[in-house]
Amino acid sequence: MPEDLAGALKRLDDVEIDALLVAVTTEAKRRGRRPPSPPKEKPVADAKPQRRQEAAEDGATSLTTGKLNAVCAAFKAGVKPSAIAKQFGITQSDVRKALAQGTRREA
């Protein structure tokens, strides 16, 4: 482990961070440890509620290539889609769309 872990992490690009996150999550799961839950965001009073159709359009197409690859890698590593959704802060529907998109790219 590097002495300056924070500095080493700053030098990683998004794809490497996503791959590291998947690996750490998988190892923590193997050890029976649960990842810390992300802090809950409080709604902003001025924010307009998003319509369902707009939210659906933002789905898997809004995922970065790195996150899309990380979702596919996590699934291939045996992580359940519900756990992937929780870990990446996306819906299970977005996970399914990402996996379908990843399958199309491989073909």
Side-chain angles (χ1 to χ4, degrees):
M1 174 119 23
E3 287 182 23
D4 182 19
L5 181 59
L9 291 174
K10 287 179 183 176
R11 290 189 290 274
L12 298 178
D13 64 22
D14 288 344
V15 174
E16 293 169 324
I17 288 287
D18 290 340
L20 179 62
L21 181 61
V22 169
V24 168
T25 302
T26 303
E27 179 60 19
K29 184 177 178 181
R30 186 189 69 79
R31 293 180 184 197
R33 296 185 61 177
R34 298 181 68 161
S37 57
K40 295 183 180 180
E41 295 180 16
K42 295 186 179 189
V44 178
D46 295 338
K48 293 182 181 178
Q50 196 176 30
R51 290 188 1 227
R52 274 191 168 173
Q53 186 175 2
E54 290 172 349
E57 289 171 358
D58 288 342
T61 57
S62 67
L63 294 179
T64 63
T65 304
K67 192 173 266 193
L68 179 67
N69 291 338
V71 167
C72 292
F75 185 73
K76 286 180 183 177
V79 181
K80 293 180 183 178
S82 59
I84 295 171
K86 286 179 185 176
Q87 185 63 41
F88 290 103
I90 58 177
T91 64
Q92 289 186 30
S93 175
D94 287 343
V95 172
R96 286 190 299 272
K97 290 176 188 174
L99 293 173
Q101 217 175 11
T103 304
R104 277 188 252 132
R105 286 183 178 186
E106 291 176 3

